[in-house]
Amino acid sequence: MAVNLQPTRNLEQLWIVRCLATVLLFGQISLHILQGKTYYRKVLDHTVKAGPASLLPVLLVSGFAGMIFTIQTARELVRFGAVESVGGAFALAFCRELAPILTASIIAGQVGSAFAAEIGAMQVTEQIDALYMLKTDPIDYLVLPRVIACCLMMPVMMIFALVMGITGGVFAAAQFFQVQPETFLESVRDFLAPSDVFIILLKGLIFGLIVAVNGCSWGLTTKGGAKEVGESATTAVVTTWVAIFMMDFVLALLLFEQPVL
């Protein structure tokens, strides 16, 4: 019996090639933004998907994450008599890392995968080719509105996540460790600085860009049929998570690394 040794995928479908296509798509988006080309009515539609439609899971995850992290932090701090620092230690970690990472991961799973699936389905059914025939650039019509919507809504969602996380932390500290809400919030106020809020907004903008560009790129490079559309949506989420953590590491080095004296 003959064995087929030919690759099942062509070069265009290789993972590394599609990742490079994502980088090229980012360059195209930057150029189109400078040219002011977009369909603003489409931006509003995608803003609803990236914002209010994703708010409930973001709030639920942030609330429980805030309670879990407070329980783990307060247990050790109360043991050493540092009960007045419970809120501050929690707020620093949650504002700088947990809220941005958790929010971006949820948006990537819900919105980024939807972008990849929607555009991928259009690609395999030749609707993208139809746009070219109608002299409509898919970057302007499909990609740019999604990117703008994600970049606008991701920072807003992170602020909601931060507020919900602190609320969960206040509840957990009061119920399980008898830390008064006033003490907890006073510690949060002492430890957090306005720059921390700026950092969460900056991360929201960058992570929103990663989610949207990666999802749209994997959709545009989809070839085949329904199976490949599902694979593109799944892989888009995984690569987005990897890119988010890599970017978060770079931002941590740039924003928080202190020189050794």
Side-chain angles (χ1 to χ4, degrees), residues 17 21-22 37 96 112 115 121 169 173-174 180 205 248:
V17 174
T22 302
K37 296 180 177 180
R96 292 179 178 179
F115 288 172
Q180 295 300 317
L205 179 64
D248 192 53

PDB file of all heavy atoms in Angstrom, residues 17 21-22 37 96 112 115 121 169 173-174 180 205 248:
ATOM      1  N   VAL A  17       4.380  31.068   9.042  1.00  0.00           N
ATOM      2  CA  VAL A  17       4.046  31.975   7.934  1.00  0.00           C
ATOM      3  C   VAL A  17       2.837  32.827   8.301  1.00  0.00           C
ATOM      4  O   VAL A  17       2.801  34.033   8.032  1.00  0.00           O
ATOM      5  CB  VAL A  17       3.774  31.164   6.652  1.00  0.00           C
ATOM      6  CG1 VAL A  17       3.293  32.074   5.527  1.00  0.00           C
ATOM      7  CG2 VAL A  17       5.033  30.416   6.224  1.00  0.00           C
ATOM      8  N   ALA A  21       2.403  36.824   8.714  1.00  0.00           N
ATOM      9  CA  ALA A  21       1.318  37.563   8.074  1.00  0.00           C
ATOM     10  C   ALA A  21       0.637  38.502   9.068  1.00  0.00           C
ATOM     11  O   ALA A  21       0.174  39.585   8.696  1.00  0.00           O
ATOM     12  CB  ALA A  21       0.299  36.593   7.486  1.00  0.00           C
ATOM     13  N   THR A  22       0.585  38.108  10.333  1.00  0.00           N
ATOM     14  CA  THR A  22       0.012  38.972  11.363  1.00  0.00           C
ATOM     15  C   THR A  22       0.843  40.239  11.523  1.00  0.00           C
ATOM     16  O   THR A  22       0.296  41.338  11.665  1.00  0.00           O
ATOM     17  CB  THR A  22      -0.055  38.209  12.705  1.00  0.00           C
ATOM     18  OG1 THR A  22      -0.837  37.026  12.550  1.00  0.00           O
ATOM     19  CG2 THR A  22      -0.668  39.088  13.783  1.00  0.00           C
ATOM     20  N   LYS A  37      -8.677  55.845   6.803  1.00  0.00           N
ATOM     21  CA  LYS A  37      -9.646  55.028   6.085  1.00  0.00           C
ATOM     22  C   LYS A  37     -10.296  54.019   7.028  1.00  0.00           C
ATOM     23  O   LYS A  37      -9.629  53.151   7.572  1.00  0.00           O
ATOM     24  CB  LYS A  37      -8.964  54.265   4.945  1.00  0.00           C
ATOM     25  CG  LYS A  37      -8.386  55.150   3.860  1.00  0.00           C
ATOM     26  CD  LYS A  37      -7.746  54.300   2.777  1.00  0.00           C
ATOM     27  CE  LYS A  37      -7.220  55.158   1.644  1.00  0.00           C
ATOM     28  NZ  LYS A  37      -6.591  54.333   0.573  1.00  0.00           N
ATOM     29  N   ARG A  96      -1.683  45.897  38.371  1.00  0.00           N
ATOM     30  CA  ARG A  96      -0.578  45.849  37.411  1.00  0.00           C
ATOM     31  C   ARG A  96      -0.605  44.603  36.533  1.00  0.00           C
ATOM     32  O   ARG A  96      -0.180  44.657  35.374  1.00  0.00           O
ATOM     33  CB  ARG A  96       0.751  45.926  38.148  1.00  0.00           C
ATOM     34  CG  ARG A  96       1.002  47.281  38.805  1.00  0.00           C
ATOM     35  CD  ARG A  96       2.329  47.284  39.547  1.00  0.00           C
ATOM     36  NE  ARG A  96       2.597  48.590  40.137  1.00  0.00           N
ATOM     37  CZ  ARG A  96       3.686  48.864  40.857  1.00  0.00           C
ATOM     38  NH1 ARG A  96       4.592  47.912  41.072  1.00  0.00           N
ATOM     39  NH2 ARG A  96       3.864  50.065  41.352  1.00  0.00           N
ATOM     40  N   GLY A 112     -11.736  37.669  20.134  1.00  0.00           N
ATOM     41  CA  GLY A 112     -10.713  37.335  19.147  1.00  0.00           C
ATOM     42  C   GLY A 112     -11.053  36.097  18.348  1.00  0.00           C
ATOM     43  O   GLY A 112     -10.853  36.054  17.127  1.00  0.00           O
ATOM     44  N   PHE A 115     -13.728  36.995  15.834  1.00  0.00           N
ATOM     45  CA  PHE A 115     -13.166  37.691  14.678  1.00  0.00           C
ATOM     46  C   PHE A 115     -12.546  36.698  13.700  1.00  0.00           C
ATOM     47  O   PHE A 115     -12.763  36.778  12.483  1.00  0.00           O
ATOM     48  CB  PHE A 115     -12.107  38.697  15.130  1.00  0.00           C
ATOM     49  CG  PHE A 115     -12.647  39.909  15.827  1.00  0.00           C
ATOM     50  CD1 PHE A 115     -11.794  40.813  16.435  1.00  0.00           C
ATOM     51  CD2 PHE A 115     -14.011  40.147  15.876  1.00  0.00           C
ATOM     52  CE1 PHE A 115     -12.284  41.940  17.068  1.00  0.00           C
ATOM     53  CE2 PHE A 115     -14.517  41.255  16.516  1.00  0.00           C
ATOM     54  CZ  PHE A 115     -13.644  42.159  17.118  1.00  0.00           C
ATOM     55  N   ALA A 121     -14.669  32.409   7.835  1.00  0.00           N
ATOM     56  CA  ALA A 121     -15.818  31.916   7.071  1.00  0.00           C
ATOM     57  C   ALA A 121     -16.021  32.734   5.802  1.00  0.00           C
ATOM     58  O   ALA A 121     -16.353  32.188   4.732  1.00  0.00           O
ATOM     59  CB  ALA A 121     -17.075  31.957   7.939  1.00  0.00           C
ATOM     60  N   GLY A 169     -12.084  41.671  46.736  1.00  0.00           N
ATOM     61  CA  GLY A 169     -11.071  41.648  47.779  1.00  0.00           C
ATOM     62  C   GLY A 169     -11.579  42.203  49.094  1.00  0.00           C
ATOM     63  O   GLY A 169     -11.293  41.653  50.168  1.00  0.00           O
ATOM     64  N   ALA A 173     -11.728  39.890  52.449  1.00  0.00           N
ATOM     65  CA  ALA A 173     -10.956  40.309  53.624  1.00  0.00           C
ATOM     66  C   ALA A 173     -11.856  40.511  54.835  1.00  0.00           C
ATOM     67  O   ALA A 173     -11.490  40.165  55.964  1.00  0.00           O
ATOM     68  CB  ALA A 173     -10.193  41.592  53.304  1.00  0.00           C
ATOM     69  N   ALA A 174     -13.048  41.067  54.613  1.00  0.00           N
ATOM     70  CA  ALA A 174     -13.964  41.309  55.733  1.00  0.00           C
ATOM     71  C   ALA A 174     -14.586  40.018  56.249  1.00  0.00           C
ATOM     72  O   ALA A 174     -14.733  39.830  57.462  1.00  0.00           O
ATOM     73  CB  ALA A 174     -15.053  42.292  55.300  1.00  0.00           C
ATOM     74  N   GLN A 180     -11.465  45.298  58.186  1.00  0.00           N
ATOM     75  CA  GLN A 180     -12.524  46.248  57.902  1.00  0.00           C
ATOM     76  C   GLN A 180     -12.371  46.847  56.504  1.00  0.00           C
ATOM     77  O   GLN A 180     -11.241  47.099  56.046  1.00  0.00           O
ATOM     78  CB  GLN A 180     -12.518  47.379  58.942  1.00  0.00           C
ATOM     79  CG  GLN A 180     -12.841  46.919  60.340  1.00  0.00           C
ATOM     80  CD  GLN A 180     -14.227  46.281  60.420  1.00  0.00           C
ATOM     81  OE1 GLN A 180     -15.191  46.809  59.839  1.00  0.00           O
ATOM     82  NE2 GLN A 180     -14.321  45.155  61.110  1.00  0.00           N
ATOM     83  N   LEU A 205      -4.793  49.191  25.815  1.00  0.00           N
ATOM     84  CA  LEU A 205      -4.641  49.591  24.419  1.00  0.00           C
ATOM     85  C   LEU A 205      -3.788  48.584  23.649  1.00  0.00           C
ATOM     86  O   LEU A 205      -4.154  48.147  22.546  1.00  0.00           O
ATOM     87  CB  LEU A 205      -4.011  50.982  24.357  1.00  0.00           C
ATOM     88  CG  LEU A 205      -3.760  51.560  22.959  1.00  0.00           C
ATOM     89  CD1 LEU A 205      -5.075  51.782  22.232  1.00  0.00           C
ATOM     90  CD2 LEU A 205      -2.980  52.865  23.062  1.00  0.00           C
ATOM     91  N   ASP A 248       3.445  41.352  27.950  1.00  0.00           N
ATOM     92  CA  ASP A 248       3.368  41.723  29.352  1.00  0.00           C
ATOM     93  C   ASP A 248       4.737  41.628  30.017  1.00  0.00           C
ATOM     94  O   ASP A 248       5.094  42.462  30.858  1.00  0.00           O
ATOM     95  CB  ASP A 248       2.367  40.815  30.074  1.00  0.00           C
ATOM     96  CG  ASP A 248       2.023  41.340  31.456  1.00  0.00           C
ATOM     97  OD1 ASP A 248       1.636  42.514  31.562  1.00  0.00           O
ATOM     98  OD2 ASP A 248       2.146  40.573  32.430  1.00  0.00           O
TER      99      ASP A 248
END
